[in-house]
Amino acid sequence: MRRLFKTLHGTSKEGSISASVFFFPEGTRSKDGLLDSFKKCAFTVAAKTGVLVVPIMLMGTGKIMPTGSEGILNHGNMRVIIHKPIH
């Protein structure tokens, strides 16, 4: 986590983060499509840096990129839902 903070501060100007960072809060892909427990890293980074968190859901990716076949992309549709920012 220290390396992550160092990287984020390297992208900042006058103490503010000037980069977008994506976190996958579960830390891995779901094998059954159900939501798993969240890891604390993304929330710790948000709390310590004071940045907004914009939750984005990707639905239907399991058929496009099945678990265990990360190098394979199948045809298909997915749904992207962008939620309101969390302060």
Side-chain angles (χ1 to χ4, degrees):
M1 181 136 10
R2 287 183 186 170
R3 186 170 32 170
L4 175 61
F5 281 116
K6 186 176 180 181
T7 300
L8 288 175
H9 287 295
T11 66
S12 68
K13 294 180 181 178
E14 300 175 14
S16 64
I17 305 281
S18 62
S20 295
V21 179
F22 287 91
F23 286 97
F24 294 91
E26 296 171 89
T28 188
R29 302 201 38 171
S30 172
K31 290 184 170 79
D32 57 10
L34 299 174
L35 192 63
D36 200 359
S37 62
F38 286 3
K39 309 297 184 227
K40 64 181 182 176
C41 180
F43 304 102
T44 301
V45 170
K48 288 188 176 188
T49 60
V51 298
L52 289 177
V53 174
V54 180
I56 300 173
M57 293 172 56
L58 304 175
M59 300 173 68
T61 59
K63 293 180 181 179
I64 296 170
M65 282 181 51
T67 303
S69 303
E70 282 74 14
I72 299 171
L73 290 176
N74 296 315
H75 293 282
N77 296 312
M78 66 178 231
R79 186 173 176 196
V80 178
I81 302 172
I82 303 172
H83 296 276
K84 293 180 181 178
I86 301 170
H87 300 271

